[in-house]
Amino acid sequence: MTVPGRRSSTFTRLLRHGFTDPSAAERLLDLPELAALRGDSVLLDALGATADPDLALRGLVRLVEAQPEAERSALTTTLLSAKPFRDRLLGVLGASEALADHLARHPHDWQALVTYEAADLHPGVAEFERGLAEATDPVALRVAYRRCLLAIAARDVCGTTDVAQTAAELADLATATLRAALAIARAAAPEDAAQCRLAVIAMGKCGGNELNYVSDVDVIFVGEAVDGTDEGKAVQAATRLASHLMRICSETTVEGTIWPVDANLRPEGRNGPLVRTLSSHLAYYQRWAKTWEFQALLKARAVAGDQELGAAYIDAVSPLVWQAAERENFVPDVQKMRRRVVDNIPVAQIERELKLGPGGLRDVEFAVQLLQLVHGRSDSTLHSGTTLDALAALAAGGYVGRADAAQLDDAYRFLRAMEHRIQLHRLRRTHLVPEGEADLRRLGRSLGLRTDPVAELNREWKRHAAVVRRLHEKLFYRPLLDAVAQLTPGETRLSPKAAGQRLEALGYADPAAALRHLEALSSGVSRKAAIQRTLLPVLLGWFADSADPDSGLLGFRKVSDALGKTPWYLRLLRDEGAAAENLARVLSAGRLAPDLLLRAPEAVAILGDPEGLKPRGREHLEQEVLAAVGRADGAEQAVAAARGVRRRELFRTAAADLIGSYGTEDSPREPDPGALVDRVGQAVTDLNAATIAGALRAAVRAEWGEELPTRFAVIGMGRFGGHELGYGSDADVLFVHESREGVDEQEAARAANRVVTEMRRLLQLPTADPPLLIDADLRPEGKSGPMVRTLKSYEAYYRRWSLVWESQALLRAEPMAGDMDLGERFMELVDPLRYPAEGLGEDAVREIRRLKARMETERLPRGADPTLHAKLGRGGLSDVEWTVQLLQMRHGWAEPGLRTTRTREALAAAHAAGLVGTDEAQTLDEAWVLATRVRNAVMLVRGRPGDTFPSEPRELAAVGRYLGYAPGHVGEMVDDYRRITRRARAVVEELFYGA
């Protein structure tokens, strides 16, 4: 008798054996049906060894209760006397609620677990066919299938078979089931069966002999006419048989379903005919098939129906599979397929996704298949549809490092075992790791993790996923280094031909040059070579993810040649996780950023500093520039220092822009392209203003010491004044001066002109740093007018001669350097011109429209496509800016928000004031941002300014990547540009022209 308040000894024993609800277990053990088993300690030990002792006991009670009374003792006696049977039965009941349900419905099926002969340990297709032989209808087939599945699960959970053997047995059972289903279909329609030959080709995991417990079984059907039968009628008959086979396996009956049969991998997918002749299949594959279809065919295996026809199909398509890597778009196609898989995973599930998430099963399968396609064309040992067999063959042939292959094999087996046990519980198709504590505990225990199952499971899962994530990319690249650096004596290496093939398949246009760079970077025993050998496999992957991998690798070699002996550089790349990826993105995205970096490679340090990519403010930059100018000997040295700062800051801005546009593993791409445009515009404006301030100080010091005989200010105009400069923009300016007291006006004018001439000369001197071109053509009288005017001269000109276009140009005027007080007085002078009281008159409005129309017809370069010119084309920068500026001149006097030099700010103010509707404002803003980004992209990619998309394919692809388009989507990019700017032009017609 148990003392009140104290637990029974049975309760304590149950807890010790892993039961989570000992009270319920005690009640179950006290049931009269279990009287024969109750006192047996061996039973308790066996229950405690299962994945879920509570679940196993509940299943056992249901099974015993379901036995006819006369037969119950046979079960309990066998359970107590036969350890292999006990372990098998309880192991299944503790792992699978669905198979416990099956046993409760079919109480005699426990006998399928009793036999323990050698042949029973590893059955093949023939044994499974015998197990299904008596099934002559879909319901009986389901029962027989589950009976066979019961035996497979028992061997699996007891460790008799490993994960690869279990997957192969599941594929063999699927093969036998397809044959049985086809036999039922043929028996139901003997006329159809007599007219055709039908072969069933297994694809996917079934074809690869690596099936899951619950998975679609992918198939392709091939049909031919029997001699003397019309081909069309034979194909129709074969289609009816195939459809019936699919229904037999897929439909839900009183015994549930077996699995869906999926024929969507056939030519043309679900839009194509279910059954084709062999010649029709070949015609499609030779002419229309996409890369992913050949990758899928890698696992094709004839499993049911007409054996001769199935073998002929495999013989015919195999050569096509191994020629796929020679197809024109092989690399971008493969990259696209991988991205599509990842992009389609819901964000909420990606961390629990065992198959498709980062470091998941698909990463291993995808990497192995890609390497098979690349190297299988010249090495038939790689022609296996089974992932682990193919991985072993790749390692044996030197295509993958042996240590990497062993780690991947281990990780893949663990992840597949997790997938199997998750699906086995309820026999449902899922690849999501459960979230509930009880589910995770059962899963962990089923994999042999008993001390702290949940914590151990999560730790092991994350460890294996991290291995896959780290290795699946390196799998491609590390053997390339072994091929050129000859690191491991005795290890089989890639031949130069195989290494070249792999580089070509990864998107390198010049594999021979790439191999030379790899050899130079990784050969030798120096610390530099050792660190670069560690880095290069990852860097090569990042380069291959860009539009121009060759340039990325060449740039890395140049930077490493320049900095390789500086300890901080290699330490930076090795220790700062983000620095290496940032460098790879910057080097492979175009010419401008690498050119800027290679002129002063030490700027690479910016990429490893968490704050390094943030732009420096104008005040900070001006202090640095003026301090450098103050330390210099002579004007030329001073401005060289200022231009050096500008080059470094241009690199910082370009690097931040590229990394924000591409995104990295640690930080996603910037979702707001407007924010990227604004950051670039502000940063380039600030650094150009600071550089001009430095050049002004240097020119003054060289001839006049600390003070010029006249007050002098530089007024920013155009994009400079609007804080909207791009990488390739000139600095539009006006120069204004005012003689100091007691200084002759002619002397002051001469001094001002000499300063301007010297500033422009210094900023354009040929050096390693990019020049800063100063453009003063927006001054009164344009190129015919004086370069510098006094404030009074400006006042007299604007009062008497000013034209409406000059007032419009002054909308962007803002003091940028020099005497700020003089600059502000200039602004007070021009404010009434740019924001006229009561707004613009109708004559002025007509003049602005006339000028704009004339510009559209005269200034667009000959032969340029008006729908794709970012500056002057339809819905481009000019359209949007003139529309906004007209609103500023008409309403700026009454709406303070419109008094800004910035286009987007003014547009937002016009919307806030009700002058532009919400849709119209968004349309204009989107077009302006896109056109600005296109110009920035062209400069980043080509290293020289341009207003239209490049025609060279690699450059166009790089522009696309910068704008957020995946490889192979440049057509979509151009279409989107035309659509967005067309809509903007419609708004311009309405708001600007009054149409």
Side-chain angles (χ1 to χ4, degrees):
M1 176 180 167
T2 305
V3 178
R6 290 183 61 186
R7 289 174 171 168
S8 71
S9 59
T10 307
F11 185 99
T12 308
R13 284 174 64 209
L14 290 168
L15 263 183
R16 199 167 58 246
H17 278 88
F19 286 84
T20 56
D21 189 352
S23 301
E26 240 182 325
R27 287 194 297 275
L28 291 174
L29 287 168
D30 283 338
L31 291 170
E33 288 83 356
L34 293 194
L37 303 172
R38 191 177 303 135
D40 192 271
S41 61
V42 173
L43 176 72
L44 210 54
D45 290 341
L47 284 166
T50 66
D52 186 339
D54 302 83
L55 183 65
L57 180 57
R58 287 198 300 273
L60 179 60
V61 169
R62 292 174 64 203
L63 176 59
V64 172
E65 287 176 340
Q67 300 299 311
E69 275 197 51
E71 298 172 23
R72 193 172 290 165
S73 64
L75 169 61
T76 54
T77 303
T78 311
L79 195 63
L80 291 175
S81 61
K83 183 182 187 308
F85 168 69
R86 184 169 59 242
D87 291 343
R88 285 175 159 201
L89 177 64
L90 296 181
V92 168
L93 293 174
S96 179
E97 202 171 312
L99 289 176
D101 291 344
H102 172 84
L103 284 168
R105 282 198 311 277
H106 302 280
H108 293 106
D109 278 4
W110 62 268
Q111 292 167 10
L113 303 181
V114 174
T115 53
Y116 204 69
E117 303 302 323
D120 177 55
L121 295 182
H122 300 293
V125 177
E127 286 77 15
F128 289 125
E129 283 191 282
R130 282 197 292 275
L132 303 177
E134 294 178 15
T136 55
D137 63 71
V139 173
L141 184 61
R142 279 152 178 69
V143 175
Y145 174 84
R146 288 287 168 94
R147 193 181 303 123
C148 293
L149 194 66
L150 187 65
I152 292 174
R155 288 189 290 275
D156 179 15
V157 297
C158 292
T160 307
T161 53
D162 66 15
V163 69
Q165 291 167 326
T166 301
E169 286 187 16
L170 289 164
D172 285 345
L173 176 56
T175 296
T177 306
L178 289 168
R179 291 178 183 178
L182 181 56
I184 294 171
R186 290 170 70 91
E191 307 85 359
D192 285 344
Q195 290 186 69
C196 66
R197 300 162 63 203
L198 177 64
V200 184
I201 311 298
M203 303 286 285
K205 283 195 158 44
C206 183
N209 279 300
E210 50 187 16
L211 198 59
N212 297 328
Y213 276 102
V214 189
S215 173
D216 290 359
V217 169
D218 297 308
V219 299
I220 284 175
F221 295 107
V222 190
E224 293 288 349
V226 170
D227 290 342
T229 306
D230 175 73
E231 187 179 280
K233 288 182 178 178
V235 169
Q236 288 174 358
T239 301
R240 288 191 291 271
L241 288 175
S243 299
H244 193 187
L245 178 153
M246 293 174 73
R247 289 197 304 277
I248 289 168
C249 297
S250 305
E251 285 182 347
T252 302
T253 69
V254 289
E255 287 294 337
T257 184
I258 300 178
W259 17 246
V261 175
D262 187 342
N264 287 337
L265 291 177
R266 67 186 184 269
E268 299 181 75
R270 63 188 58 184
N271 298 319
L274 183 63
V275 179
R276 286 175 184 256
T277 62
L278 178 54
S279 59
S280 174
H281 275 283
L282 287 177
Y284 173 84
Y285 287 127
Q286 287 163 348
R287 189 163 182 196
W288 305 110
K290 298 182 174 63
T291 301
W292 70 263
E293 293 177 277
F294 293 112
Q295 187 173 2
L297 283 170
L298 199 148
K299 292 184 176 291
R301 182 170 64 94
V303 292
D306 190 298
Q307 291 184 352
E308 189 182 329
L309 179 57
Y313 175 88
I314 298 299
D315 290 344
V317 299
S318 287
L320 301 177
V321 172
W322 305 113
Q323 291 161 15
E326 295 164 12
R327 290 164 60 87
E328 188 180 347
N329 294 316
F330 177 71
V331 181
D333 282 352
V334 168
Q335 289 173 337
K336 226 185 307 184
M337 287 186 287
R338 176 70 196 127
R339 274 196 200 87
R340 193 181 299 128
V341 166
V342 175
D343 292 347
N344 287 341
I345 305 171
V347 176
Q349 295 181 357
I350 199 161
E351 290 303 316
R352 296 192 295 125
E353 176 59 68
L354 198 59
K355 178 179 178 182
L356 304 178
L361 292 161
R362 181 59 60 86
D363 276 351
V364 182
E365 293 159 1
F366 202 84
V368 168
Q369 287 165 26
L370 181 55
L371 287 175
Q372 283 181 276
L373 290 173
V374 171
H375 299 296
R377 50 187 157 164
S378 54
D379 186 346
S380 61
T381 65
L382 305 180
H383 295 188
S384 170
T386 308
T387 301
L388 291 175
D389 291 350
L391 181 58
L394 286 164
Y399 303 103
V400 171
R402 288 185 187 276
D404 290 348
Q407 282 188 284
L408 267 186
D409 182 285
D410 191 33
Y412 187 75
R413 287 174 185 272
F414 183 84
L415 296 173
R416 279 302 299 271
M418 275 184 75
E419 183 183 43
H420 278 183
R421 301 301 162 78
I422 290 167
Q423 292 184 349
L424 181 59
H425 179 225
R426 288 201 173 92
L427 288 181
R428 288 185 186 160
R429 182 173 182 253
T430 179
H431 310 287
L432 291 179
V433 178
E435 294 179 289
E437 184 83 8
D439 288 330
L440 289 169
R441 181 175 181 273
R442 183 187 61 257
L443 179 56
R445 283 174 60 90
S446 78
L447 295 168
L449 308 170
R450 298 298 170 96
T451 310
D452 184 352
V454 176
E456 288 178 72
L457 173 69
N458 279 318
R459 189 163 56 246
E460 284 297 291
W461 171 34
K462 298 302 179 192
R463 180 175 72 81
H464 285 296
V467 166
V468 173
R469 233 184 354 255
R470 190 178 74 247
L471 286 183
H472 100 274
E473 288 281 335
K474 287 185 182 178
L475 211 60
F476 300 121
Y477 307 111
R478 189 174 284 165
L480 292 168
L481 301 188
D482 294 341
V484 294
Q486 300 184 357
L487 308 175
T488 318
E491 174 124 338
T492 312
R493 280 190 284 274
L494 284 181
S495 67
K497 180 186 174 187
Q501 283 179 334
R502 185 172 303 188
L503 283 165
E504 206 173 335
L506 293 163
Y508 288 80
D510 188 347
L515 283 171
R516 286 196 300 274
H517 299 323
L518 288 177
E519 186 172 7
L521 286 161
S522 59
S523 294
V525 293
S526 67
R527 179 171 170 274
K528 170 188 170 186
I531 291 174
Q532 290 186 157
R533 284 196 293 270
T534 305
L535 285 168
L536 273 165
V538 188
L539 287 169
L540 284 168
W542 287 323
F543 294 148
D545 191 40
S546 74
D548 193 354
D550 300 79
S551 295
L553 181 55
L554 174 61
F556 180 67
R557 180 179 176 183
K558 287 179 177 177
V559 172
S560 290
D561 286 349
L563 293 177
K565 291 181 180 171
T566 53
W568 64 265
Y569 166 67
L570 293 169
R571 195 165 55 242
L572 171 83
L573 293 184
R574 187 190 62 202
D575 300 339
E576 298 288 343
E581 185 176 5
N582 289 345
L583 178 61
R585 296 296 180 209
V586 166
L587 289 175
S588 57
R591 292 183 189 169
L592 179 68
D595 285 353
L596 292 168
L597 178 61
L598 291 168
R599 288 168 184 172
E602 63 277 2
V604 80
I606 289 169
L607 302 175
D609 180 355
E611 301 293 306
L613 295 173
K614 292 184 178 175
R616 303 294 185 255
R618 187 182 309 184
E619 190 177 334
H620 177 104
L621 290 170
E622 206 164 298
Q623 283 178 355
E624 182 182 0
V625 167
L626 293 178
V629 168
R631 290 191 297 270
D633 296 327
E636 290 190 4
Q637 190 183 4
V639 174
R643 285 171 64 180
V645 172
R646 177 172 177 265
R647 182 238 314 119
R648 183 197 70 208
E649 294 307 312
L650 268 177
F651 173 72
R652 186 194 311 277
T653 305
D657 188 18
L658 288 166
I659 292 161
S661 298
Y662 271 72
T664 63
E665 288 181 5
D666 293 330
S667 60
R669 59 189 298 267
E670 168 61 61
D672 177 11
L676 287 169
V677 163
D678 291 345
R679 280 204 287 273
V680 171
Q682 185 63 57
V684 179
T685 298
D686 285 345
L687 65 94
N688 280 1
T691 307
I692 287 172
L696 175 59
R697 174 72 62 87
V700 170
R701 275 185 66 212
E703 191 167 344
W704 296 278
E706 290 304 310
E707 189 174 85
L708 196 62
T710 184
R711 293 186 181 85
F712 184 88
V714 181
I715 310 296
M717 299 288 284
R719 295 192 188 290
F720 188 24
H723 300 254
E724 296 163 357
L725 285 176
Y727 300 106
S729 304
D730 297 348
D732 290 318
V733 298
L734 298 178
F735 298 110
V736 55
H737 80 104
E738 185 180 65
S739 58
R740 300 185 185 279
E741 287 182 24
V743 176
D744 176 66
E745 284 196 8
Q746 285 188 328
E747 183 191 341
R750 279 196 299 272
N753 273 293
R754 280 213 302 281
V755 159
V756 168
T757 302
E758 181 65 359
M759 279 172 63
R760 296 180 80 187
R761 182 186 76 84
L762 291 169
L763 289 170
Q764 292 177 44
L765 278 175
T767 69
D769 298 314
L772 174 54
L773 301 177
I774 292 181
D775 186 340
D777 289 354
L778 291 174
R779 64 188 183 271
E781 301 178 74
K783 292 179 181 177
S784 309
M787 186 67 74
V788 192
R789 287 177 182 262
T790 62
L791 188 62
K792 286 181 180 176
S793 172
Y794 275 108
E795 185 179 5
Y797 175 86
Y798 287 138
R799 185 174 62 246
R800 191 168 179 190
W801 305 109
S802 176
L803 299 172
V804 68
W805 72 264
E806 292 176 302
S807 299
Q808 184 183 350
L810 288 167
L811 286 166
R812 306 285 208 111
E814 185 177 301
M816 288 291 171
D819 190 311
M820 285 297 155
D821 175 62
L822 178 60
E824 288 305 324
R825 284 189 287 133
F826 179 85
M827 304 317 297
E828 289 167 14
L829 166 67
V830 301
D831 271 352
L833 288 167
R834 54 187 182 169
Y835 310 122
E838 304 302 323
L840 278 182
E842 282 306 310
D843 287 348
V845 171
R846 272 195 300 275
E847 175 64 10
I848 287 176
R849 287 173 176 162
R850 188 187 66 78
L851 285 169
K852 175 75 171 77
R854 185 174 142 205
M855 189 175 78
E856 287 176 16
T857 57
E858 294 179 3
R859 289 189 57 193
L860 192 69
R862 183 178 298 172
D865 184 343
T867 66
L868 293 176
H869 198 280
K871 183 177 181 181
L872 301 173
R874 179 193 71 189
L877 296 173
S878 174
D879 269 3
V880 178
E881 288 164 3
W882 280 60
T883 302
V884 171
Q885 288 162 12
L886 184 58
L887 290 167
Q888 287 180 281
M889 295 181 76
R890 296 180 89 169
H891 304 283
W893 66 279
E895 292 292 341
L898 289 170
R899 295 172 211 159
T900 173
T901 63
R902 304 171 193 234
T903 303
R904 298 187 74 209
E905 220 171 78
L907 181 57
H911 172 246
L915 301 171
V916 181
T918 300
D919 289 346
E920 288 85 352
Q922 287 175 347
T923 298
L924 292 177
D925 186 69
E926 185 183 18
W928 188 89
V929 166
L930 178 57
T932 303
R933 292 205 79 213
V934 168
R935 296 179 93 209
N936 284 348
V938 171
M939 184 67 188
L940 285 166
V941 168
R942 303 179 71 191
R944 59 182 189 275
D947 292 313
T948 58
F949 289 97
S951 55
E952 200 278 319
R954 282 213 167 200
E955 291 178 346
L956 186 61
V959 168
R961 295 303 303 278
Y962 172 81
L963 294 177
Y965 291 86
H969 286 263
V970 292
E972 189 181 316
M973 168 181 72
V974 172
D975 289 346
D976 284 349
Y977 182 86
R978 286 192 166 116
R979 176 178 51 79
I980 289 164
T981 53
R982 183 175 63 245
R983 287 168 48 211
R985 178 64 185 198
V987 175
V988 170
E989 293 284 353
E990 182 185 340
L991 294 180
F992 184 81
Y993 288 111

